[in-house]
Amino acid sequence: MEEQLFEATRAGSKRNDAGPSRGGGEMQSTTGATSLKLLLDTNAFIALEPTSTAVERGLEFGAELARLAAEGGHRLYLHEATRRDFARDHDLARRSAHLALAAKYPALSGIPKSALADLLTRLDLPAPPLSESNDAVDLEMLAAVGAAAVDYLVTDDARLRGRARRTGLAENVLPLAEAVQLLRDLSPRPLKPPPAVEHVLSYQLDPHDPIFDSLRDDYPGFDAWFAGVRRAHRPAWIIRHDDGRYAGVMLVKEETDTPYGLPGRLLKVSTLKVTDEAHGRRYGELLLKTLFNHAEHHSHDAIYVTVFERHATLVDLLTAFGFRDHGRSPVGELVLAKGRRPSVQDAALDPLKFHTTFGPPAIDTRAPFFVVPVEPRWHDVLFPDYPGQLSLLTGEHPYGNALRKAYLCNAPTRRVAPGSTLLFYRSRERSAVTVAGVVEDVHVSHLPEEVARYVGRRTVYTLEDITRLCRSARPVLTLLFRQDRLLEPAWSRGELKTAGVLNGHPQSITEVCNEEGRHWLQERLNEQR
């Protein structure tokens, strides 16, 4: 019997423990599905509970977060340290209003002191900050996340999110817009077409689109530069909002020299921008997928981009896909570069690091191979850009177009490990391996709340779907992986059987142990690089 597959794009915390949740008693939504616990930072609280007649930043997201939480049975908390912070406000009217509104939310308290001590160690702080300081409030909220008292901390404070990165908690600390998207993703919803990545030439871009306003703020000479770019007819790609405005835009330039000492055929990313309201929709990964395909098709040896350090979300995204610090530009930007040609010395990298550094596409063919059977209906969702099925224009869900994804099933195998190569086998009418990926992490659990916390940020399935899968006699096996390449033409079951990769139709995740089959796979993947 073929395994049931639930698919999601890569998500939340990377805990490998399969034991009971450390988060205490779990809430249940009115539909019976597991719900999440979210801790609100001060700026998120103010977006939900504005006290000013002025339109607060994030007000629309705050209203939607409150609605989605109520509909899904999710719990919104305030930390006792935040309440203490409100009580110290010298503006008496604002203090009274905040304290009254804060009473609507359960208070989070009693976090073990060991959780705070662990944070201080990770941040290399000799002693806790003064109890009445903003730093103390930040650390107490992060300690609550580290102790799994809540699933996510919601904050638009870039400094606080920076500390979360340094303490290994970044996946569980979300900007307000991404928290809204998380609850959207986990809520029952009608499917809608994904965004189309449109290839255009730079002269076809509308210079008056609002997406360019922040670039004008960053670069005083932007309009003169952009006019020259448009005359040069450079390649560009856009993703549109439903109303036609740009949700994302990317511009590239073929370099004719070797800036910053970068060797070989060089591609510069001149612009990579996603609007604030589109954060959490994986449009950044969708544009990076387009970028890597373009670089592979045109045989570029390296890619680089310059970006101001304050754009932390973009820096994090690029770093996650192998861009590394390569100095500073004349105006003080970070220069982030990604090489695409491994050297002999790079053979020492572990398979996951090898893929992240040089791919996609890049697979260390010394790693174990696993064939993963996927029913056609789930293959369409997981890989909507595979030729001959759905496309970026007509697929059912945008999140399948991201590069970081997850495979959920009840398979018994426990041999899959980070760095393993996954060969996705589309069953039934095609009966062929169509896509290759590289495992990023593995998680096993019977508990819906653990699975949801693990894949929740980017899942295409609801909490009810995850709960249903957890009712199986076997625990849920979650494989976080990175899509490496589409295999064109697909490798048919007949040639896989002849090569010694398979003995027949795979019914479950199957490791390729036959040395002849492994050698055949190594040759085929190396040929297609």
Side-chain angles (χ1 to χ4, degrees):
M1 188 69 181
E2 204 168 87
E3 294 162 347
Q4 180 73 4
L5 164 67
F6 284 87
E7 178 278 329
T9 56
R10 181 179 183 246
S13 67
K14 297 177 68 174
R15 299 193 180 100
N16 289 315
D17 53 292
S21 169
R22 294 173 290 162
E26 294 299 327
M27 297 299 300
Q28 297 291 317
S29 71
T30 55
T31 61
T34 303
S35 60
L36 298 179
K37 296 184 284 294
L38 287 81
L39 178 61
L40 303 177
D41 188 14
T42 301
N43 49 59
F45 168 80
I46 291 172
L48 270 74
E49 306 289 352
T51 57
S52 170
T53 55
V55 177
E56 300 280 0
R57 183 180 182 275
L59 183 59
E60 291 183 3
F61 285 127
E64 187 170 4
L65 184 72
R67 177 181 62 80
L68 290 169
E71 290 176 352
H74 307 293
R75 296 295 299 272
L76 303 178
Y77 290 85
L78 283 179
H79 199 284
E80 61 176 350
T82 303
R83 295 173 186 267
R84 293 198 306 267
D85 195 36
F86 288 155
R88 292 192 294 269
D89 193 342
H90 295 297
D91 186 319
L92 296 181
R94 186 173 59 198
R95 179 175 68 193
S96 297
H98 283 164
L99 288 174
L101 292 168
K104 295 166 55 176
Y105 298 86
L108 197 68
S109 60
I111 304 301
K113 291 182 179 179
S114 59
L116 182 58
D118 179 54
L119 282 182
L120 294 175
T121 300
R122 293 194 218 176
L123 292 169
D124 197 24
L125 295 176
L130 296 175
S131 60
E132 295 187 359
S133 67
N134 290 333
D135 285 344
V137 176
D138 289 354
L139 290 179
E140 288 193 59
M141 289 190 294
L142 283 178
V145 177
V150 292
D151 299 301
Y152 296 96
L153 168 61
V154 183
T155 179
D156 280 335
D157 186 334
R159 186 166 178 265
L160 177 53
R161 296 207 308 274
R163 283 181 162 172
R165 286 192 295 275
R166 290 164 56 197
T167 55
L169 298 171
E171 294 289 351
N172 298 86
V173 178
L174 310 181
L176 180 57
E178 290 195 19
V180 169
Q181 189 61 45
L182 166 71
L183 298 193
R184 286 175 185 158
D185 293 346
L186 292 173
S187 300
R189 59 196 178 273
L191 294 175
K192 59 182 291 186
V197 178
E198 302 175 39
H199 178 253
V200 298
L201 294 175
S202 52
Y203 76 88
Q204 296 172 304
L205 293 171
D206 178 4
H208 303 294
D209 190 277
I211 199 170
F212 298 117
D213 291 346
S214 64
L215 296 174
R216 289 186 175 91
D217 294 337
D218 279 348
Y219 303 98
F222 175 81
D223 286 309
W225 171 84
F226 196 33
V229 166
R230 295 177 70 219
R231 286 193 296 270
H233 290 206
R234 291 188 194 173
W237 294 265
I238 56 174
I239 302 171
R240 296 183 186 271
H241 287 296
D242 291 340
D243 61 7
R245 291 177 298 119
Y246 299 159
V249 63
M250 181 172 67
L251 272 158
V252 299
K253 175 192 177 186
E254 176 93 23
E255 294 285 29
T256 57
D257 55 2
T258 56
Y260 305 106
L262 294 166
R265 189 173 185 189
L266 192 60
L267 183 68
K268 178 181 181 181
V269 183
S270 303
T271 301
L272 179 59
K273 170 75 176 174
V274 174
T275 61
D276 289 344
E277 58 197 290
H279 282 172
R281 295 179 181 268
R282 273 64 77 191
Y283 291 175
E285 287 192 34
L286 197 53
L287 289 172
L288 283 184
K289 177 187 284 190
T290 304
L291 173 68
F292 297 145
N293 287 342
H294 178 82
E296 178 70 8
H297 181 73
H298 292 279
S299 300
H300 288 102
D301 299 305
I303 309 168
Y304 83 99
V305 60
T306 60
V307 56
F308 285 113
E309 197 167 3
R310 63 178 173 271
H311 299 303
T313 300
L314 178 56
V315 172
D316 287 347
L317 176 67
L318 293 168
T319 302
F321 284 94
F323 286 83
R324 297 294 176 257
D325 190 349
H326 201 77
R328 298 273 176 167
S329 75
V331 295
E333 303 159 296
L334 289 173
V335 178
L336 300 176
K338 178 182 176 71
R340 303 190 63 255
R341 306 291 179 228
S343 65
V344 175
Q345 291 78 11
D346 294 315
L349 294 174
D350 68 70
L352 176 58
K353 184 72 171 178
F354 180 85
H355 169 78
T356 303
T357 302
F358 299 106
I363 287 178
D364 184 340
T365 55
R366 298 169 298 179
F369 294 102
F370 292 86
V371 178
V372 182
V374 184
E375 294 184 19
R377 57 178 175 148
W378 299 121
H379 188 283
D380 289 352
V381 177
L382 192 56
F383 309 113
D385 47 347
Y386 192 80
Q389 54 172 54
L390 304 174
S391 71
L392 291 176
L393 290 169
T394 59
E396 289 186 337
H397 208 291
Y399 312 114
N401 295 324
L403 285 163
R404 296 176 293 186
K405 307 182 182 185
Y407 174 92
L408 279 68
C409 65
N410 299 111
T413 183
R414 298 295 179 263
R415 291 181 57 81
V416 185
S420 298
T421 300
L422 301 181
L423 302 171
F424 290 93
Y425 177 95
R426 182 179 170 117
S427 62
R428 300 187 184 176
E429 85 291 346
R430 179 159 294 199
S431 296
V433 168
T434 57
V435 180
V438 176
V439 176
E440 195 167 30
D441 203 10
V442 181
H443 182 266
V444 179
S445 178
H446 257 307
L447 302 176
E449 63 272 13
E450 284 193 358
V451 178
R453 189 181 304 130
Y454 193 63
V455 301
R457 286 187 66 183
R458 296 169 184 254
T459 181
V460 299
Y461 282 89
T462 66
L463 281 168
E464 289 137 295
D465 295 325
I466 294 171
T467 301
R468 192 178 306 117
L469 190 60
C470 287
R471 293 189 185 121
S472 170
R474 287 181 183 149
V476 174
L477 171 66
T478 302
L479 305 179
L480 300 185
F481 72 97
R482 292 176 176 232
Q483 181 176 318
D484 180 76
R485 71 192 74 176
L486 306 178
L487 300 172
E488 303 175 62
W491 303 341
S492 70
R493 182 177 61 181
E495 62 181 321
L496 292 169
K497 188 173 181 179
T498 300
V501 175
L502 291 175
N503 294 323
H505 177 72
Q507 301 294 316
S508 183
I509 298 177
T510 303
E511 184 174 5
V512 180
C513 297
N514 182 294
E515 283 303 317
E516 182 182 350
R518 283 185 50 80
H519 182 69
W520 184 88
L521 290 171
Q522 289 167 345
E523 286 190 337
R524 293 298 298 270
L525 287 168
N526 288 330
E527 286 171 2
Q528 293 192 4
R529 176 62 171 91

